[in-house]
Amino acid sequence: MKRLHLLRVGVLAYVGLLVALPVGSVFFRAFEHGVGVAWDSITTTDGVHALWLTLLTVLIAVPADAIFGVGVALILARHRFRGAFLLDALVDIPLAISPVIVGLSLVLVYGETGWFGRVLAGWGIQVIFSLPGIVMASAVVALPYVVREVLPVLEEIGTEQEEAAGTLGAGKFAVFRRITLPSIRGGFAYGVTLTTARVLGEFGAVAIVSGNIEGRTQTLTLFIQSSVDNLNPASAYAGAVVLAVIAILILGVLQRSRSERRWSWRSAPAESLSTLDPPLLSTM
Amino acid sequence: MTYLSLLVLLPLAAVVENAFKGGWSGFWTAVTEPEGVAALELTVICSVLVAIVNSIAGLAIAWVLVRDRFVGKRVVSAIIDLPFALPTIVAGLTLLSLYGAQSPFGVNIADTRIGICVALAFVTLPFCVRSVQPVLAEMDKESEEAAASLGASPPVVVRRVVLPSVAPAMLAGAGLAFARALGEFGSVVLISGNLPFKTEVASSWIYSLSQSGQLPAAAAVSTVLVATALVVLLAMGAVRRRFDLDRTR
C-alpha cells in the first residue's frame, strides 16, 4: 500500500500548497502586527464605506435575484411554451462569460455613450459609476444560482399538491404561499446563500461599472485591490480577512445543508440518486 | 423576462453591436492589435495548460477522497470548495502573500506567467474535483480490485478500468475549468502585474481598453473571447456524446 500512501501525500501537498497554505497566510499577514493594527487599517473612512457599500449591494441585489430566480423557475417548471429551452440557456449565460465582459456590456447600454445613456441622463439617473450600476453588475453575475437550485426541486415535487389545493378553493397566491413556497424552502435557501457569496465577492464586473472612486463607489473587493496598488498591504489583508471569514461561514452553511439534503435523498427512490452532486456543480 | 432582457440580453446585444461599429475592418483591427493578440494567446495557452493539469490532479484528489481513508478527510473536502466561496480578489491576494515578493519560502512568482497559471489552478480546482468525484463514488471498488488481483499493476488499473468510466466527467470538468480560466480576472490581476506582451491576460486587456474609453475595441475582443469559450464548450459536449455512444455500443 506504499503507492497509495504516496498518492495521498501528493494530493494533500497539492491542495495544501495551492489552497490551504495561501489562505492561512492571509490570516497570518493580517494579524502579524497584532489585532489592533488590523482593526485600525480596515476602520479607515474608505474601508468602512467600502464595507457599507458591499452590504448595501447585497441587500438589494440578492432579493432581486431571489425573486427573479423563483419566478423563472416557476415559469420553466410549470408552463410549456416555445422558446423555453432558450430561456433556460439564457439564464446560464452569466456563468459562461467573463465578469469583465458583463461589466462592459452594462456600460455599453447604460453608460454615458451607451444605448440608454442619453435618456437616463435626461431623467437625471446615473447608472454607471454609481450604486445602480454596481447593484446591476452584481445581480447579473449571481443571476443563475437561485434558478438552478429551485428548478430541480419544483420539477421533483410535481403539481399534484398544488392542484389539490386549487380544487379545494385556494387562490393562486394562497397555493403559492402555503404549498409551493414551503416545499422549495431548502433549495431556495441554498440558492440564496450561493447568490450572497457571489455578490459579496464580485470584482471584475463591479470594477468596470463602478469607476472605483474611493469612498464613493468602492466595494470591499475594490478596496482590497486599490490597497495593494497603493502599497498599503495592511488594509488589503484586513479587508481580505473580512471577506475570507464570511466565505468560510457561507461554506459551512452550504456544507451543512448539503449533508441534510443528501440524507433526504437517501430515502428517495434510487433513480434520483444519480442527480446527487450536479446541483453544486452547475452553480460553479 | 424584462429583468433578464435588461440585465443580460440587451447588454450582450450591445457588445456585439459595438464590436462591429466600425464594420468588419474595425473589428479586425481591434482584434489583431498586437498587444491584444499576445494577451489572447497567453490566456488560451495558460487556460489549456491549467485545464489539463487540474483534470489530472482533480482525478487524483477525487480518487483519494472517495477510496482512501484518513483523519481529516472532511477538512480536505471542505478546503476543495474554498476557491469557489472565496472572492477572486482575495484568492489573488492569498497567493501573492505566499508566493509573491515577500514570500516566506523565497519563491517569487509575482509578475510571471507561472503566477497566472497558479492563480487559474486555484480558482478552477473545485470544478475538476467535483465533476469526477460523484462518478468515482458510484463506481464499485470491485472492478478495480478484480483487475488488481488478476495481476494488473496500478497504472494499468487506472488506464484500463478507472479512466474509461471517468473520462466523460473529466472532460466536462476540464471544459468548465477552461471556460472559467479564459475569463478569469480578479485572481489574476494582483499576481500577474499586467505587463503588456508578458503577463497581460485577455480580461485585463479588455479592462484596460474600456478604462481608456476604447469601448468598441473592448467589445470586439470580448466577442472573440466569448466565441472561443462557446466553441470549446460545444466541442467538449460533442466529444462527450461520442464517448457515451462508444460505451453503450
Side-chain angles (χ1 to χ4, degrees):
Chain A
M1 285 282 100
K2 214 172 170 193
R3 266 213 174 92
L4 187 87
H5 219 76
L6 219 67
L7 184 64
R8 184 196 299 171
V9 170
V11 160
L12 289 180
Y14 191 78
V15 176
L17 285 174
L18 192 61
V19 185
L21 269 181
V23 174
S25 89
V26 155
F27 280 86
F28 174 75
R29 282 282 160 82
F31 298 120
E32 207 172 9
H33 307 292
V35 178
V37 174
W39 179 255
D40 289 343
S41 46
I42 188 70
T43 49
T44 57
T45 331
D46 288 350
V48 172
H49 185 273
L51 196 62
W52 266 119
L53 187 59
T54 298
L55 286 179
L56 188 62
T57 307
V58 167
L59 284 178
I60 305 172
V62 173
D65 273 350
I67 294 167
F68 165 81
V70 173
V72 168
L74 275 174
I75 292 173
L76 284 175
R78 297 285 182 261
H79 300 277
R80 279 171 195 283
F81 59 99
R82 268 203 222 162
F85 78 97
L86 218 77
L87 177 62
D88 197 34
L90 265 176
V91 169
D92 278 339
I93 283 184
L95 289 179
I97 63 178
S98 170
V100 175
I101 299 177
V102 170
L104 175 70
S105 71
L106 289 173
V107 171
L108 291 175
V109 174
Y110 303 101
E112 223 172 288
T113 55
W115 285 0
F116 300 160
R118 194 163 296 168
V119 182
L120 286 170
W123 294 341
I125 302 172
Q126 193 188 8
V127 174
I128 302 304
F129 302 142
S130 84
L131 181 69
I134 297 173
V135 171
M136 282 168 89
S138 310
V140 175
V141 290
L143 195 79
Y145 299 122
V146 173
V147 183
R148 288 293 161 237
E149 292 301 323
V150 171
L151 185 56
V153 181
L154 278 177
E155 277 170 348
E156 205 173 300
I157 58 172
T159 54
E160 279 173 27
Q161 289 189 9
E162 288 170 18
E163 281 161 9
T167 57
L168 291 173
K172 266 193 176 156
F173 183 70
V175 171
F176 176 73
R177 196 170 57 91
R178 297 274 190 90
I179 309 287
T180 317
L181 212 52
S183 49
I184 60 171
R185 210 172 44 199
F188 180 70
Y190 199 83
V192 168
T193 316
L194 289 170
T195 309
T196 311
R198 187 65 208 259
V199 170
L200 266 175
E202 184 46 35
F203 174 70
V206 173
I208 288 218
V209 162
S210 80
N212 201 356
I213 309 162
E214 275 158 39
R216 278 195 47 216
T217 62
Q218 200 171 55
T219 60
L220 202 48
T221 49
L222 295 174
F223 173 76
I224 293 172
Q225 191 231 1
S226 73
S227 297
V228 173
D229 286 350
N230 299 334
L231 302 178
N232 185 5
S235 292
Y237 287 127
V241 161
V242 173
L243 285 176
V245 168
I246 298 174
I248 291 169
L249 287 178
I250 285 177
L251 210 59
V253 173
L254 292 181
Q255 216 95 22
R256 170 174 284 191
S257 67
R258 196 147 49 115
S259 56
E260 267 168 28
R261 279 205 298 178
R262 201 165 287 188
W263 182 81
S264 70
W265 271 331
R266 242 177 236 154
S267 54
E271 65 252 53
S272 67
L273 276 177
S274 58
T275 56
L276 210 113
D277 255 323
L280 181 71
L281 252 189
S282 70
T283 59
M284 290 198 289
Chain B
M1 206 61 224
T2 323
Y3 189 78
L4 198 65
S5 321
L6 285 178
L7 286 181
V8 181
L9 226 49
L10 270 178
L12 278 184
V15 169
V16 178
E17 194 253 2
N18 270 275
F20 294 100
K21 224 170 202 169
W24 268 104
S25 62
F27 176 80
W28 194 243
T29 328
V31 170
T32 50
E33 172 96 12
E35 194 180 338
V37 172
L40 273 173
E41 260 177 25
L42 176 68
T43 309
V44 171
I45 291 173
C46 285
S47 301
V48 169
L49 211 68
V50 165
I52 293 171
V53 170
N54 256 358
S55 302
I56 297 166
L59 176 62
I61 294 169
W63 197 87
V64 167
L65 285 179
V66 171
R67 296 275 190 267
D68 203 358
R69 277 180 196 190
F70 54 91
V71 186
K73 200 169 93 169
R74 288 190 53 182
V75 179
V76 175
S77 178
I79 289 174
I80 304 281
D81 280 334
L82 199 55
F84 168 60
L86 207 63
T88 51
I89 190 81
V90 178
L93 188 66
T94 63
L95 292 172
L96 194 64
S97 76
L98 198 61
Y99 303 120
Q102 292 169 358
S103 164
F105 301 154
V107 280
N108 186 2
I109 55 168
D111 303 347
T112 66
R113 291 174 177 179
I114 301 173
I116 297 173
C117 290
V118 172
L120 294 179
F122 182 102
V123 293
T124 56
L125 187 66
F127 300 85
C128 296
V129 178
R130 298 295 180 218
S131 57
V132 183
Q133 203 181 350
V135 181
L136 272 181
E138 238 167 81
M139 254 172 75
D140 44 346
K141 217 170 162 180
E142 280 83 32
S143 45
E144 283 170 46
E145 282 167 353
S149 72
L150 291 171
S153 64
V156 174
V157 174
V158 169
R159 196 160 51 87
R160 293 281 186 85
V161 181
V162 179
L163 264 187
S165 27
V166 297
M170 259 177 100
L171 259 177
L176 286 173
F178 176 80
R180 172 71 200 261
L182 218 49
E184 185 50 32
F185 180 61
S187 61
V188 176
V189 272
L190 290 182
I191 206 154
S192 77
N194 293 327
L195 308 171
F197 295 104
K198 204 181 150 227
T199 60
E200 190 179 42
V201 294
S203 13
S204 296
W205 171 237
I206 295 173
Y207 180 75
S208 68
L209 279 177
S210 76
Q211 292 307 87
S212 60
Q214 293 166 270
L215 293 180
V221 180
S222 300
T223 311
V224 172
L225 201 59
V226 171
T228 315
L230 276 183
V231 166
V232 168
L233 283 178
L234 286 178
M236 290 274 185
V239 172
R240 220 170 44 198
R241 271 193 297 280
R242 261 306 261 293
F243 258 110
D244 287 346
L245 271 182
D246 284 349
R247 271 205 303 171
T248 48
R249 208 172 276 157

